Amino acid sequence: MPLAYIGLGANLGQPAEQVLQAIAGLAACGQVLAQSPLYRTAPLGEPGQPDYCNAACLIDTALSPQQLMQGLLDLERAAGRVRDGRRWAARRLDLDLLHYQGISLDTPELQLPHPQIGRRNFVLVPLADVAPDLEIPGVGRVGDAARAIGRDGLRTW
């Protein structure tokens, strides 16, 4: 079965618990093979938000990328996330399909690999914890990209 790489984040409610619950909930989408430590990061976007709890995980899945993305959206809704169109707003749960083995997509609904994957240390560092040798088109080897972008603003949760 293909491997999929998921980024997780939350900064409302009990962020660490919500991220861990989401990782457990991913069992409905496939087998969780690895998860990163939890990281505390400053929020992007609207001022005054609480810090984020971020992580990444690796799953083995039989779902297509589109089916997996729907599963991620279902987990977000179950956690109380309301998508209101605002970017970088505070949220109870944010799940991103970062990479899906062997698939590149560029549709209005889903882009793979995730278009921001190489620009954010709160994505690359946790992803390097679970898949340092993963090669991502346009980014390169994840471990190298994580070292290059650095750990500024990241702390263990």
Side-chain angles (χ1 to χ4, degrees):
M1 288 192 288
L3 300 176
Y5 303 83
I6 313 295
L8 304 97
N11 73 336
L12 293 178
Q14 300 297 319
E17 288 82 6
Q18 287 153 206
V19 167
L20 292 173
Q21 287 173 354
I23 291 170
L26 286 171
C29 300
Q31 181 183 2
V32 177
L33 301 177
Q35 72 184 60
S36 74
L38 303 180
Y39 290 92
R40 182 180 300 272
T41 60
L44 297 176
E46 298 175 4
Q49 295 182 49
D51 285 347
Y52 265 84
C53 177
N54 289 107
C57 67
L58 164 62
I59 69 169
D60 191 4
T61 184
L63 300 177
S64 70
Q66 294 82 357
Q67 291 168 324
L68 179 55
M69 190 66 223
Q70 187 57 56
L72 300 181
L73 293 172
D74 291 345
L75 286 169
E76 286 182 352
R77 274 191 293 282
R81 170 131 186 222
V82 176
R83 288 183 174 265
D84 60 7
R86 293 182 302 152
R87 293 191 77 169
W88 303 315
R91 53 195 66 165
R92 294 187 59 80
L93 186 63
D94 184 34
L95 302 175
D96 290 321
L97 180 51
L98 301 174
H99 182 70
Y100 189 101
Q101 182 181 22
I103 302 286
S104 291
L105 285 175
D106 190 3
T107 69
E109 297 80 29
L110 183 59
Q111 293 177 296
L112 291 172
H114 191 286
Q116 301 297 318
I117 197 170
R119 296 187 183 113
R120 298 177 174 162
N121 69 349
F122 61 85
V123 174
L124 280 172
V125 170
L127 186 57
D129 288 332
V130 298
D133 295 324
L134 175 65
E135 290 279 342
I136 296 182
V139 174
R141 190 173 163 275
V142 169
D144 295 338
R147 274 190 296 285
I149 201 167
R151 298 173 71 94
D152 287 347
L154 290 179
R155 301 186 317 263
T156 303
W157 187 266

